[in-house]
Amino acid sequence: MMTDNERTTPRVGFWEATVRGFKGVLDFEGRARRSEFWWYILAVYLLLCLLLIGVMSYIVASGNYVKGHDYVGTFSWLDTLLMLSATFLPYALCFSIQVRRLHDVGEGALWPCISFVTAFFTMLFWAIGIESIISGVDWFAVTDNFLADLLVLVGYISWMLFLIAQIIIIVNSLKDSQAHPNKYGDSPKYIVMIKH
């Protein structure tokens, strides 16, 4: 709640938030407002849509795709790597702003770190699964059943941790900025007016 000696700064717009976000991809210090966070997230996911359209267009144009159960062309590891990279890119681009947004509400970087690591492992397991389905490799036959079962279990645990971390990040990202400076810096939203 704002007191008489506080005022707010104007909200950050789409373009300003996008520029700040891309400039701060490697900046984990300080705090980010809600408007800065959500506009930047929108910009990144619009970029993701364009990337996925580009990657899928490349795969279809090259003839490397599967239609139903009939194999058409050969879906290469390069195609899988392109899809994985295009899908993982938003997590890499949004990691620092998630940290700064949680700093703004007084939280640390634990949940963005868990989200980032588990997103990577989840997508890696998806890529291996997709490639094995397309190439017809039965990992249970190739590897010891215990190892295959362990990989599946790690994939499921990674996915569940990712979902939990994302829910916690979203809930914290919806909170209002802490009005006063915290251990991560001054509030980007509230300005304390000094009375003489």
Side-chain angles (χ1 to χ4, degrees), residues 127-172:
I128 291 170
I130 290 168
E131 188 63 32
S132 66
I133 289 168
I134 290 168
S135 62
V137 173
D138 181 7
W139 286 100
F140 291 96
V142 173
T143 64
D144 181 25
N145 280 344
F146 174 75
L147 180 60
D149 288 340
L150 183 63
L151 289 175
V152 169
L153 179 64
V154 169
Y156 282 124
I157 291 170
S158 179
W159 174 243
M160 292 306 296
L161 284 173
F162 170 74
L163 287 176
I164 291 166
Q166 284 297 93
I167 290 168
I168 291 171
I169 290 168
I170 289 170
V171 167
N172 279 309

Side-chain angles (χ1 to χ4, degrees), residues 51 78 85 97 107 157 168:
L51 276 173
L78 175 62
S85 300
I97 199 157
E107 299 291 331
I157 291 170
I168 291 171

Side-chain angles (χ1 to χ4, degrees), residues 34-49:
R34 272 187 297 197
S35 56
E36 180 180 351
F37 175 80
W38 289 110
W39 282 125
Y40 178 69
I41 295 292
L42 175 64
V44 167
Y45 279 92
L46 289 174
L47 174 67
L48 170 67
C49 289

Side-chain angles (χ1 to χ4, degrees), residues 3 5 22 26 32 41-42 47-48 54 84 90 97 117-118 132 149 171 179 183 185-186:
T3 61
N5 63 335
F22 281 113
L26 298 176
I41 295 292
L42 175 64
L47 174 67
L48 170 67
L84 178 66
I97 199 157
V117 170
T118 56
S132 66
D149 288 340
V171 167
K183 64 182 178 180
D186 292 332

Side-chain angles (χ1 to χ4, degrees), residues 5-172:
N5 63 335
E6 294 173 346
R7 67 179 179 86
T8 61
T9 58
R11 286 188 178 148
V12 177
F14 178 78
W15 293 113
E16 184 181 355
T18 302
V19 169
R20 281 186 192 181
F22 281 113
K23 282 184 178 178
V25 166
L26 298 176
D27 180 15
F28 300 95
E29 301 293 322
R31 298 164 60 173
R33 288 183 68 160
R34 272 187 297 197
S35 56
E36 180 180 351
F37 175 80
W38 289 110
W39 282 125
Y40 178 69
I41 295 292
L42 175 64
V44 167
Y45 279 92
L46 289 174
L47 174 67
L48 170 67
C49 289
L50 293 175
L51 276 173
L52 288 176
I53 289 169
V55 168
M56 290 306 293
S57 298
Y58 161 75
I59 291 170
V60 169
S62 67
N64 297 340
Y65 63 95
V66 175
K67 186 174 185 180
H69 293 290
D70 300 321
Y71 292 94
V72 179
T74 56
F75 199 83
S76 70
W77 273 101
L78 175 62
D79 299 333
T80 303
L81 184 63
L82 282 172
M83 288 296 291
L84 178 66
S85 300
T87 308
F88 185 69
L89 183 64
Y91 299 104
L93 291 175
C94 295
F95 180 59
S96 64
I97 199 157
Q98 285 179 342
V99 170
R100 292 194 314 271
R101 179 68 197 121
L102 291 185
H103 284 175
D104 193 39
V105 296
E107 299 291 331
L110 174 67
W111 291 109
C113 288
I114 290 172
S115 174
F116 186 80
V117 170
T118 56
F120 175 78
F121 281 110
T122 299
M123 289 182 194
L124 181 65
F125 285 119
W126 281 357
I128 291 170
I130 290 168
E131 188 63 32
S132 66
I133 289 168
I134 290 168
S135 62
V137 173
D138 181 7
W139 286 100
F140 291 96
V142 173
T143 64
D144 181 25
N145 280 344
F146 174 75
L147 180 60
D149 288 340
L150 183 63
L151 289 175
V152 169
L153 179 64
V154 169
Y156 282 124
I157 291 170
S158 179
W159 174 243
M160 292 306 296
L161 284 173
F162 170 74
L163 287 176
I164 291 166
Q166 284 297 93
I167 290 168
I168 291 171
I169 290 168
I170 289 170
V171 167
N172 279 309

